[in-house]
Amino acid sequence: MSTDLVSSNYTGIVPGTMLMCLLSTLPGPPGVSIQDAYVQLLPVDKTVCSHVDPIRDISYQLYTRNNPLQPQTLSLHDDHSLYNSYFNFSEPTILFFHAFFESSTSTTATIMRTAYLQRKDHNILLLNAPRIEAGPWYLTAAKNTRIVGEYSAQFIDYMVSRGLHLPSLHLIGLSLGAQMAGVTGKNVRSGRIARITGLDPAGPLFTKWPKSLKLDKSDAEFVDVIHTDAGIFGYPRSVGHLDFWPNGGIAPQPGCTFREIARRNPDAIIEKLFCSHWRSYQFYAESVVSEFSFPAIECNSWNDFKSGSCDFQQQPISMGFLAHPLARGNYFLATNPESPFTQ
Ligand SMILES: *[C@@H]1O[C@H](CO)[C@@H](O)[C@H](O)[C@H]1NC(C)=O
């Protein structure tokens, strides 16, 4: 810890930053979980305070059919934990990157995990980086996606050196997590990532940032994206090889008008903000457990889709889990306002 503080990186930085970095190397600034959100007294900007504590700042929680409820922690260069875990190199692996305000135990990560556990055939790795993705510090959390992505690329290279078959790995990220997955894909050295799924990749700030800091189709062999809140919390444009635009890809998604949310739960304040953004991972999780769901067709726009002027003779493809890795372009579909969402 002290060596970091006196290293040349820190010469000439303002005392406030120094204090923040000091705090972030100690047990960390105080934070609390409020309902499902991790909120912290101070931001911890890892692009300035570069020291990453692998357990406290960034780790990966492993769930398998042998340990569906109690995770095992894997981290960079930790052979002991890896070889004593249930990680099975013969099975496919997903690595899920959580969003702003979240951790590996948030509802979003839990729903993704539960969906994959039902398949009984995956290693499920959940990123856990609550302190550096803590609210309400969006600017810091967005900048830290680069640190998480670069570190996760090192983690994947380490896993490959221990026997991970790279084509069996699928990265999935929600919102800021989708941008992290893109940075990870760009920085992996042991080969190319086979697939990255972006679930409503974060829009704010990222529209102005270079490709190296966000998800785009150069980051993996196959990048598929589900847009549900484009232009608000989600990225406004196509970014993958294959972009799905359920219900046009914008807010309010069906079931997400203020009136519908209030009818379900009058106290749901956070849901009013995020309902459409969250549909991206809810659709994806449903697609994991119900195969051949969410049929979508290629079209120029949502208006063309609604007015029936796309080519409805074409063979539809599935959105989500079974998205076709050779399909390209923009695909549209309608969903139900509540689960089951597929039509
Ligand atoms: C690992 O996965 C393979 C393929 O599903 C399976 O046959 C094997 O039994 C698994 N190994 C362990 C130790 O669970």
Side-chain angles (χ1 to χ4, degrees), residues 6-27:
V6 296
S7 76
S8 56
N9 285 349
Y10 290 90
T11 49
I13 64 176
V14 292
T17 312
M18 187 90 132
L19 178 62
M20 189 190 79
C21 292
L22 177 64
L23 279 170
S24 72
T25 55
L26 296 175

Side-chain angles (χ1 to χ4, degrees), residues 65-66 88 90-91:
R65 61 171 173 268
N66 298 309
N88 184 338
S90 305
E91 296 199 321

Side-chain angles (χ1 to χ4, degrees), residues 243-312:
D243 288 72
F244 292 97
W245 302 89
N247 311 298
I250 56 170
Q253 289 283 314
C256 287
T257 63
F258 285 2
R259 181 191 296 221
E260 287 165 303
I261 295 166
R263 201 184 307 135
R264 286 195 300 270
N265 176 5
D267 304 323
I269 296 165
I270 300 199
E271 195 187 346
K272 279 186 184 157
L273 284 174
F274 293 112
C275 182
S276 295
H277 195 40
W278 284 340
R279 282 291 192 256
S280 57
Y281 86 84
Q282 292 163 347
F283 295 162
Y284 187 89
E286 185 179 313
S287 79
V288 174
V289 291
S290 64
E291 296 200 357
F292 303 107
S293 49
F294 297 104
I297 63 167
E298 189 176 19
C299 203
N300 289 327
S301 72
W302 178 239
N303 279 339
D304 283 1
F305 180 91
K306 274 192 310 185
S307 66
S309 49
C310 332
D311 173 13
F312 284 91

Side-chain angles (χ1 to χ4, degrees), residues 123-188:
N123 302 297
I124 301 159
L125 286 171
L126 305 180
L127 168 77
N128 191 41
R131 287 185 176 83
I132 59 180
E133 293 303 318
W137 315 105
Y138 183 77
L139 171 63
T140 302
K143 286 201 283 180
N144 283 338
T145 57
R146 176 165 74 81
I147 302 296
V148 177
E150 289 171 356
Y151 188 85
S152 298
Q154 285 183 52
F155 175 72
I156 290 166
D157 287 335
Y158 159 71
M159 292 294 283
V160 169
S161 76
R162 294 297 180 265
L164 177 71
H165 184 49
L166 207 47
S168 71
L169 176 66
H170 177 191
L171 310 184
I172 306 171
L174 171 63
S175 192
L176 285 184
Q179 310 298 12
M180 294 171 201
V183 176
T184 302
K186 185 185 166 52
N187 286 281
V188 164

Side-chain angles (χ1 to χ4, degrees), residues 96-103 108 129 133 174-177 180 277:
F96 177 71
F97 295 82
H98 64 73
F100 182 41
F101 268 117
E102 294 185 344
S103 73
T108 58
E133 293 303 318
L174 171 63
S175 192
L176 285 184
M180 294 171 201
H277 195 40

Side-chain angles (χ1 to χ4, degrees), residues 187-250:
N187 286 281
V188 164
R189 301 217 172 109
S190 45
R192 244 165 103 66
I193 298 289
R195 181 179 178 191
I196 299 177
T197 300
L199 304 174
D200 213 30
L205 298 176
F206 289 89
T207 47
K208 301 264 188 288
W209 288 1
K211 278 187 175 175
S212 61
L213 299 180
K214 63 191 178 191
L215 178 64
D216 77 282
K217 60 181 153 203
S218 70
D219 296 325
E221 294 293 331
F222 175 48
V223 175
D224 60 313
V225 180
I226 299 178
H227 299 270
T228 54
D229 193 23
I232 302 180
F233 293 117
Y235 204 80
R237 292 184 292 280
S238 304
V239 292
H241 298 100
L242 180 57
D243 288 72
F244 292 97
W245 302 89
N247 311 298
I250 56 170

